Amino acid sequence: MQGGTVGQPGPTLNTVAEAIGVSRQTVSNAINAPAKLSPATLALVEAEIRQQGYRPNNRARCLRIQRSCLLGYCAPRPAEAISGVMDQFVRAITTAAERRGHHILLFSEQSEHQGVDVPPMAVHEDLFAHRVVDGFVISDTDLGDRRQRWFAERRVPFAAFGRRWQQPELGPWVDVDGAAGTESAVAHVAAEGHRRIAYLGWPEGSGTGDDRRSGWQRACAARGLDTRLVATASNGIEEGRALADGLLDLAGPPTAFVCVSDGFAIGCLQAVRERGLEPGRDVAVVGFDDSPAAELPGIGLTSVRQPVEQAGDAVVEMVTDVLADPGRRHPGLLIPPTLVVRTSSVRTP
Amino acid sequence: MQGGTVGQPGPTLNTVAEAIGVSRQTVSNAINAPAKLSPATLALVEAEIRQQGYRPNNRARCLRIQRSCLLGYCAPRPAEAISGVMDQFVRAITTAAERRGHHILLFSEQSEHQGVDVPPMAVHEDLFAHRVVDGFVISDTDLGDRRQRWFAERRVPFAAFGRRWQQPELGPWVDVDGAAGTESAVAHVAAEGHRRIAYLGWPEGSGTGDDRRSGWQRACAARGLDTRLVATASNGIEEGRALADGLLDLAGPPTAFVCVSDGFAIGCLQAVRERGLEPGRDVAVVGFDDSPAAELPGIGLTSVRQPVEQAGDAVVEMVTDVLADPGRRHPGLLIPPTLVVRTSSVRTP
């Protein structure tokens, strides 16, 4: 290495400490354990840190505590090309990790490598056994997910975005309250005057899908509405269009659709338009995820927004807390989503 | 660690070598340097590797050669919410790195950390100086980009997706031939009978934008068409709509638009529809990137597709080649894009 800032003279823990007459440990605490200081001392140290332009050498700290300060994250294959939610999540955990002195090591789902089958969790195991990462963030959890037990049995630090939907939940998790999301969707279209509110969902047996469906069902039942207007398929715009078509062919067709995904909802918009009906004015459509596509002109989809940044921040905080204190137990954190209303669900614009 | 595959008895380099009567080094070569073996020997070893289910212990190899086998990648802030191209690129380099025994360490652009300014390249420098990563992949290069020189002066291995648009280019790079992409867009709409073909672009001075504009200009000039139908702004759907509106207000308005981005093109579609015109039938619109949004029903946007997977694979191959042989020089690699034709540019469906 030539030039640059590493190893150059400049502000250090000591220069900050000396300038304001506190100990080196006090400056270190201001950075790594601010709760240990009084607000006045913390403010004094932080002002001097900014004044000197001191940047903590995080890597030296990692070496000292014999950690890599890396968190592994296995990026799932994108379920829907349009979703973009998982990409937002990757960005969220990347910046959240950095705020806590860590980086994200990204890897991919591998079922085979050079023609040889790769067992589940083999990459996780390699990375942890060789101390390449200190722990993991996982996402896309499913009913009875086995990863949490795998981590727990090996005492591998982790935190999950998503539940395993079986008691007891294992290890720290954060999830979005999907049922609350679909309940708010039903409340919204019911307030627009709809009484025949259908649900386009995934087949039973996926924790996330069952959760979202339960919110729709509960909200309809509470209003005395028909809860038999359900059609299911796996993801996809074309599948959403076909499901909506089937329900619109009924003698008493729905006038509103609450969908488990934006892909289904965009297919549903297409089915509505192909019948000469106008989304919003004639038939209300609500998606789930608030994908970047939802706000495009020509789409204008009302959708349940997942607070992905907040989830990413919470899941990283949980795993770094466990790294700092292996005995630390986190209760699960359920975050409420928000309904973003656009033209697809509103009668009079 | 308990259970699992690491450290368990099982297939090794030796068991593969013994079974077919070759040396351990031959099996190692089959994995790490296949070009050193004859095709027949390579096939024999690979068949035995599959037969035994042998997975090379890549981490042991990294320790032996005193490398981290991690490549750093600084994820840019998303320029357009709809694009998704950079997310595809992250996935592409993640799997390409794994095919070559590496992983991607993801970090984010930081201009400040805890209230203190972070100098450019400070995170790159920290990661490399402390041997957290062996080298870097960069993207989103711009005119006169300084990162390549920074790497070159410090002998930091890297490869770039994108050029710096100044001679000499420094270090290995792969890029998409943007000018060829917009040329193919002009050729396509000209074949549909259009003679007044406008360009919606970025202000001059961005290497990528100037490249795409030059292709449009060259293709129009070659056909004797007006090359003054140009409007520019920074990115955005609303901006694209405003630019298109301005040109459609002209006495001799364009009947076709070639756009530097899908965001501009989607805004342009909106401007066309707001005048009661039909994209495709009345006015042709072509975007750039082939974002996931382009193929949505209600959008149907013709767009120039960047071969992102190929670019990601090439850029990772280049940097791992440099790691294996620091003297290795790669010429730049220019990949042709492909035009994906949808309804927005075709007169008769």
Side-chain angles (χ1 to χ4, degrees):
Chain A
M1 298 287 300
Q2 302 163 23
T5 57
V6 171
Q8 297 287 310
T12 65
L13 279 185
N14 286 327
T15 62
V16 172
E18 281 161 20
I20 51 177
V22 301
S23 72
R24 191 175 182 282
Q25 185 61 48
T26 299
V27 182
S28 173
N29 283 344
I31 294 157
N32 299 313
K36 291 189 179 175
L37 302 186
S38 73
T41 307
L42 182 59
L44 179 72
V45 177
E46 286 183 338
E48 186 61 27
I49 284 176
R50 274 193 298 277
Q51 167 72 23
Q52 296 198 11
Y54 169 66
R55 289 189 305 120
N57 187 331
N58 181 57
R59 278 294 142 197
R61 182 175 159 270
C62 298
L63 284 170
R64 204 166 59 239
I65 61 176
Q66 297 193 295
R67 292 266 174 78
S68 72
C69 296
L70 302 184
L71 303 173
Y73 175 68
C74 177
R77 294 190 189 88
E80 287 200 312
I82 61 142
S83 168
V85 167
M86 271 303 131
D87 296 317
Q88 292 166 10
F89 181 70
V90 172
R91 279 193 288 272
I93 59 173
T94 299
T95 56
E98 287 167 0
R99 278 195 296 274
R100 293 172 178 83
H102 287 68
H103 288 294
I104 296 294
L105 184 148
L106 199 62
F107 57 104
S108 66
E109 286 184 276
Q110 290 182 25
S111 53
E112 65 96 32
H113 183 77
Q114 297 183 333
V116 175
D117 286 348
V118 175
M121 308 305 284
V123 183
H124 293 82
E125 180 155 25
D126 284 354
L127 291 172
F128 188 75
H130 292 96
R131 299 171 167 247
V132 182
V133 300
D134 298 334
F136 296 93
V137 168
I138 64 171
S139 69
D140 289 62
T141 59
D142 214 336
L143 187 65
D145 202 305
R146 293 177 169 188
R147 291 176 290 177
Q148 291 89 331
R149 186 171 297 283
W150 191 95
F151 289 128
E153 285 174 356
R154 288 159 183 78
R155 299 175 186 272
V156 176
F158 80 101
F161 177 26
R163 284 162 278 180
R164 57 195 292 272
W165 309 98
Q166 281 184 350
Q167 292 307 324
E169 291 287 342
L170 301 169
W173 59 268
V174 54
D175 204 355
V176 173
D177 190 344
T182 47
E183 276 192 272
S184 71
V186 170
H188 163 64
V189 296
E192 288 286 315
H194 294 279
R195 304 286 299 164
R196 297 186 61 78
I197 304 170
Y199 183 72
L200 303 188
W202 297 323
E204 272 184 69
S206 89
T208 304
D210 296 351
D211 183 40
R212 293 179 189 176
R213 178 171 170 166
S214 74
W216 163 83
Q217 185 144 9
R218 195 160 53 226
C220 285
R223 289 168 177 78
L225 306 179
D226 190 346
T227 57
R228 290 167 306 172
L229 291 165
V230 176
T232 63
S234 60
N235 262 325
I237 292 172
E238 188 46 50
E239 286 76 1
R241 179 171 159 275
L243 293 181
D245 250 347
L247 291 173
L248 289 168
D249 277 339
L250 293 176
T255 65
F257 290 87
V258 171
C259 306
V260 73
S261 72
D262 282 350
F264 276 178
I266 288 172
C268 182
L269 288 178
Q270 193 185 8
V272 167
R273 290 206 175 99
E274 283 168 357
R275 285 163 188 257
L277 301 170
E278 182 67 22
R281 189 193 65 195
D282 302 317
V283 177
V285 180
V286 182
F288 205 108
D289 268 357
D290 195 29
S291 317
E295 63 177 321
L296 293 178
I299 307 275
L301 178 67
T302 295
S303 188
V304 178
R305 175 180 290 172
Q306 301 212 45
V308 180
E309 289 224 352
Q310 192 187 347
D313 195 66
V315 79
V316 167
E317 184 177 19
M318 285 172 177
V319 66
T320 52
D321 276 355
V322 170
L323 288 169
D325 174 7
R328 176 73 172 266
R329 293 285 168 271
H330 270 283
L333 175 65
L334 203 55
I335 309 179
T338 52
L339 187 71
V340 181
V341 176
R342 299 195 182 87
T343 54
S344 72
S345 65
V346 179
R347 290 219 154 149
T348 46
Chain B
M1 300 288 298
Q2 302 163 25
T5 57
V6 172
Q8 299 285 309
T12 63
L13 279 185
N14 286 327
T15 62
V16 172
E18 281 162 18
I20 50 177
V22 300
S23 72
R24 192 176 181 285
Q25 185 61 47
T26 299
V27 181
S28 173
N29 283 344
I31 294 157
N32 300 312
K36 289 189 179 174
L37 303 186
S38 73
T41 306
L42 181 60
L44 180 72
V45 177
E46 287 183 338
E48 186 61 25
I49 284 175
R50 275 192 298 277
Q51 167 72 23
Q52 296 197 10
Y54 170 65
R55 290 188 304 122
N57 186 332
N58 181 56
R59 279 294 140 195
R61 183 175 158 269
C62 297
L63 283 171
R64 204 166 57 241
I65 61 176
Q66 297 194 295
R67 292 265 174 77
S68 72
C69 297
L70 302 183
L71 303 173
Y73 175 67
C74 177
R77 294 192 187 87
E80 288 199 309
I82 62 142
S83 168
V85 167
M86 270 304 132
D87 297 316
Q88 293 166 11
F89 182 71
V90 172
R91 279 193 287 273
I93 60 173
T94 299
T95 55
E98 286 166 0
R99 279 195 295 274
R100 292 174 179 82
H102 287 67
H103 287 295
I104 296 293
L105 184 149
L106 200 61
F107 56 106
S108 66
E109 287 184 275
Q110 290 182 27
S111 53
E112 65 95 34
H113 184 74
Q114 296 182 332
V116 176
D117 287 349
V118 175
M121 307 306 283
V123 183
H124 292 82
E125 180 156 27
D126 284 353
L127 291 172
F128 189 75
H130 292 96
R131 300 174 165 244
V132 181
V133 301
D134 298 334
F136 296 92
V137 168
I138 65 171
S139 70
D140 288 63
T141 59
D142 213 336
L143 187 65
D145 202 305
R146 292 176 169 189
R147 291 175 290 177
Q148 292 88 334
R149 186 171 299 281
W150 190 96
F151 289 128
E153 285 174 358
R154 288 158 183 80
R155 300 175 186 272
V156 176
F158 80 100
F161 176 28
R163 286 161 276 179
R164 56 195 294 272
W165 310 98
Q166 281 184 350
Q167 291 307 325
E169 290 289 342
L170 300 169
W173 58 268
V174 55
D175 205 355
V176 173
D177 191 343
T182 46
E183 277 192 89
S184 72
V186 170
H188 162 64
V189 296
E192 288 285 316
H194 294 279
R195 304 287 295 164
R196 297 185 62 78
I197 304 170
Y199 182 73
L200 303 188
W202 296 322
E204 273 186 68
S206 89
T208 304
D210 295 352
D211 182 41
R212 294 179 188 175
R213 178 171 172 167
S214 74
W216 164 83
Q217 184 143 10
R218 195 159 56 228
C220 285
R223 288 168 178 80
L225 307 179
D226 190 344
T227 56
R228 291 167 306 172
L229 292 165
V230 176
T232 63
S234 62
N235 263 325
I237 292 172
E238 189 46 48
E239 286 77 359
R241 178 171 159 275
L243 293 181
D245 249 348
L247 291 173
L248 289 167
D249 278 340
L250 293 176
T255 65
F257 289 86
V258 171
C259 306
V260 73
S261 73
D262 282 350
F264 275 179
I266 288 171
C268 181
L269 289 177
Q270 194 185 6
V272 167
R273 290 207 175 100
E274 283 168 356
R275 286 164 187 258
L277 301 170
E278 181 68 21
R281 189 192 66 194
D282 302 316
V283 178
V285 180
V286 182
F288 204 109
D289 267 357
D290 195 30
S291 318
E295 62 177 321
L296 293 178
I299 305 274
L301 178 66
T302 295
S303 189
V304 178
R305 174 180 292 174
Q306 301 213 48
V308 180
E309 288 224 352
Q310 193 187 346
D313 195 68
V315 79
V316 168
E317 184 177 20
M318 285 172 176
V319 66
T320 53
D321 276 355
V322 170
L323 287 169
D325 174 7
R328 177 73 171 268
R329 292 287 167 268
H330 271 280
L333 174 64
L334 203 54
I335 309 179
T338 52
L339 187 71
V340 180
V341 176
R342 299 195 181 89
T343 53
S344 72
S345 66
V346 179
R347 290 216 155 153
T348 48

